[in-house]
PDB file of all heavy atoms in Angstrom:
ATOM      1  N   GLY S  20      92.442  87.099 138.096  1.00  0.00           N
ATOM      2  CA  GLY S  20      92.668  86.178 136.899  1.00  0.00           C
ATOM      3  C   GLY S  20      94.032  85.594 136.834  1.00  0.00           C
ATOM      4  O   GLY S  20      94.296  84.797 135.973  1.00  0.00           O
ATOM      5  N   CYS S  29      90.206  81.369 133.403  1.00  0.00           N
ATOM      6  CA  CYS S  29      90.421  82.186 132.145  1.00  0.00           C
ATOM      7  C   CYS S  29      90.574  81.274 131.059  1.00  0.00           C
ATOM      8  O   CYS S  29      90.013  81.390 129.948  1.00  0.00           O
ATOM      9  CB  CYS S  29      91.658  83.159 132.357  1.00  0.00           C
ATOM     10  SG  CYS S  29      91.368  84.608 133.377  1.00  0.00           S
ATOM     11  N   VAL S  41      91.504  89.099 131.665  1.00  0.00           N
ATOM     12  CA  VAL S  41      92.352  88.632 132.804  1.00  0.00           C
ATOM     13  C   VAL S  41      92.680  89.899 133.630  1.00  0.00           C
ATOM     14  O   VAL S  41      93.369  90.740 133.309  1.00  0.00           O
ATOM     15  CB  VAL S  41      93.666  87.992 132.441  1.00  0.00           C
ATOM     16  CG1 VAL S  41      94.297  87.395 133.623  1.00  0.00           C
ATOM     17  CG2 VAL S  41      93.513  86.944 131.399  1.00  0.00           C
ATOM     18  N   THR S  76      87.415  99.105 139.201  1.00  0.00           N
ATOM     19  CA  THR S  76      86.499  98.230 138.745  1.00  0.00           C
ATOM     20  C   THR S  76      85.639  98.716 137.443  1.00  0.00           C
ATOM     21  O   THR S  76      85.405  98.023 136.525  1.00  0.00           O
ATOM     22  CB  THR S  76      85.468  97.786 139.720  1.00  0.00           C
ATOM     23  OG1 THR S  76      84.935  98.950 140.493  1.00  0.00           O
ATOM     24  CG2 THR S  76      86.120  96.919 140.829  1.00  0.00           C
ATOM     25  N   GLY S  78      86.863 100.991 135.492  1.00  0.00           N
ATOM     26  CA  GLY S  78      87.773 101.026 134.426  1.00  0.00           C
ATOM     27  C   GLY S  78      88.002  99.688 133.626  1.00  0.00           C
ATOM     28  O   GLY S  78      87.871  99.749 132.534  1.00  0.00           O
ATOM     29  N   THR S  79      87.948  98.694 134.348  1.00  0.00           N
ATOM     30  CA  THR S  79      88.084  97.314 133.786  1.00  0.00           C
ATOM     31  C   THR S  79      86.792  97.026 132.918  1.00  0.00           C
ATOM     32  O   THR S  79      86.942  96.404 131.859  1.00  0.00           O
ATOM     33  CB  THR S  79      88.425  96.207 134.833  1.00  0.00           C
ATOM     34  OG1 THR S  79      89.748  96.405 135.401  1.00  0.00           O
ATOM     35  CG2 THR S  79      88.300  94.803 134.262  1.00  0.00           C
ATOM     36  N   ALA S  97      89.045  87.243 142.833  1.00  0.00           N
ATOM     37  CA  ALA S  97      90.134  87.999 143.593  1.00  0.00           C
ATOM     38  C   ALA S  97      89.885  87.915 144.969  1.00  0.00           C
ATOM     39  O   ALA S  97      88.761  88.106 145.457  1.00  0.00           O
ATOM     40  CB  ALA S  97      90.128  89.456 143.224  1.00  0.00           C
ATOM     41  N   TRP S 124      92.407  92.611 159.194  1.00  0.00           N
ATOM     42  CA  TRP S 124      91.117  92.209 159.278  1.00  0.00           C
ATOM     43  C   TRP S 124      90.390  93.093 158.139  1.00  0.00           C
ATOM     44  O   TRP S 124      89.746  92.749 157.443  1.00  0.00           O
ATOM     45  CB  TRP S 124      90.592  92.308 160.637  1.00  0.00           C
ATOM     46  CG  TRP S 124      89.121  92.541 160.660  1.00  0.00           C
ATOM     47  CD1 TRP S 124      88.370  93.605 160.920  1.00  0.00           C
ATOM     48  CD2 TRP S 124      88.162  91.308 160.708  1.00  0.00           C
ATOM     49  NE1 TRP S 124      87.062  93.315 160.933  1.00  0.00           N
ATOM     50  CE2 TRP S 124      86.842  91.979 160.908  1.00  0.00           C
ATOM     51  CE3 TRP S 124      88.014  90.019 160.588  1.00  0.00           C
ATOM     52  CZ2 TRP S 124      85.590  91.355 160.979  1.00  0.00           C
ATOM     53  CZ3 TRP S 124      86.947  89.341 160.794  1.00  0.00           C
ATOM     54  CH2 TRP S 124      85.709  89.927 160.931  1.00  0.00           C
ATOM     55  N   ALA S 127      91.433  92.644 154.596  1.00  0.00           N
ATOM     56  CA  ALA S 127      90.713  91.392 154.026  1.00  0.00           C
ATOM     57  C   ALA S 127      89.334  91.659 153.691  1.00  0.00           C
ATOM     58  O   ALA S 127      88.795  91.180 152.665  1.00  0.00           O
ATOM     59  CB  ALA S 127      90.956  90.297 154.981  1.00  0.00           C
ATOM     60  N   VAL S 183      90.791  84.533 161.001  1.00  0.00           N
ATOM     61  CA  VAL S 183      89.275  84.606 161.164  1.00  0.00           C
ATOM     62  C   VAL S 183      88.670  85.234 159.869  1.00  0.00           C
ATOM     63  O   VAL S 183      87.571  84.875 159.531  1.00  0.00           O
ATOM     64  CB  VAL S 183      88.958  85.416 162.390  1.00  0.00           C
ATOM     65  CG1 VAL S 183      89.622  86.768 162.404  1.00  0.00           C
ATOM     66  CG2 VAL S 183      87.601  85.474 162.607  1.00  0.00           C
ATOM     67  N   LYS S 189      84.230  84.730 153.406  1.00  0.00           N
ATOM     68  CA  LYS S 189      83.653  83.752 152.459  1.00  0.00           C
ATOM     69  C   LYS S 189      82.111  83.387 152.853  1.00  0.00           C
ATOM     70  O   LYS S 189      81.274  83.229 151.962  1.00  0.00           O
ATOM     71  CB  LYS S 189      84.467  82.396 152.534  1.00  0.00           C
ATOM     72  CG  LYS S 189      85.922  82.687 151.911  1.00  0.00           C
ATOM     73  CD  LYS S 189      85.689  83.109 150.420  1.00  0.00           C
ATOM     74  CE  LYS S 189      87.031  83.421 149.655  1.00  0.00           C
ATOM     75  NZ  LYS S 189      86.900  83.836 148.338  1.00  0.00           N
ATOM     76  N   TYR S 230      95.304  66.768 155.617  1.00  0.00           N
ATOM     77  CA  TYR S 230      94.250  67.165 154.830  1.00  0.00           C
ATOM     78  C   TYR S 230      93.614  65.895 154.289  1.00  0.00           C
ATOM     79  O   TYR S 230      92.322  65.703 154.380  1.00  0.00           O
ATOM     80  CB  TYR S 230      94.694  67.980 153.628  1.00  0.00           C
ATOM     81  CG  TYR S 230      93.530  68.670 152.898  1.00  0.00           C
ATOM     82  CD1 TYR S 230      93.105  69.959 153.190  1.00  0.00           C
ATOM     83  CD2 TYR S 230      92.869  67.860 152.036  1.00  0.00           C
ATOM     84  CE1 TYR S 230      92.087  70.545 152.520  1.00  0.00           C
ATOM     85  CE2 TYR S 230      91.796  68.391 151.315  1.00  0.00           C
ATOM     86  CZ  TYR S 230      91.386  69.715 151.579  1.00  0.00           C
ATOM     87  OH  TYR S 230      90.276  70.238 150.864  1.00  0.00           O
ATOM     88  N   ALA S 231      94.516  65.004 153.772  1.00  0.00           N
ATOM     89  CA  ALA S 231      93.766  63.799 153.106  1.00  0.00           C
ATOM     90  C   ALA S 231      92.934  62.894 154.108  1.00  0.00           C
ATOM     91  O   ALA S 231      91.983  62.361 153.782  1.00  0.00           O
ATOM     92  CB  ALA S 231      95.046  62.904 152.597  1.00  0.00           C
ATOM     93  N   LEU S 265      77.416  76.025 144.433  1.00  0.00           N
ATOM     94  CA  LEU S 265      78.018  74.741 143.964  1.00  0.00           C
ATOM     95  C   LEU S 265      79.195  74.360 144.705  1.00  0.00           C
ATOM     96  O   LEU S 265      80.215  74.954 144.629  1.00  0.00           O
ATOM     97  CB  LEU S 265      78.187  74.746 142.403  1.00  0.00           C
ATOM     98  CG  LEU S 265      78.638  73.508 141.631  1.00  0.00           C
ATOM     99  CD1 LEU S 265      77.705  72.359 141.975  1.00  0.00           C
ATOM    100  CD2 LEU S 265      78.592  73.818 140.136  1.00  0.00           C
ATOM    101  N   ALA S 273      80.614  67.112 153.857  1.00  0.00           N
ATOM    102  CA  ALA S 273      79.643  66.076 153.845  1.00  0.00           C
ATOM    103  C   ALA S 273      79.759  65.163 155.141  1.00  0.00           C
ATOM    104  O   ALA S 273      78.754  64.405 155.341  1.00  0.00           O
ATOM    105  CB  ALA S 273      79.750  65.214 152.593  1.00  0.00           C
TER     106      ALA S 273
END
Side-chain angles (χ1 to χ4, degrees):
C29 290
V41 186
T76 50
T79 291
W124 160 266
V183 58
K189 291 302 178 180
Y230 190 99
L265 186 49

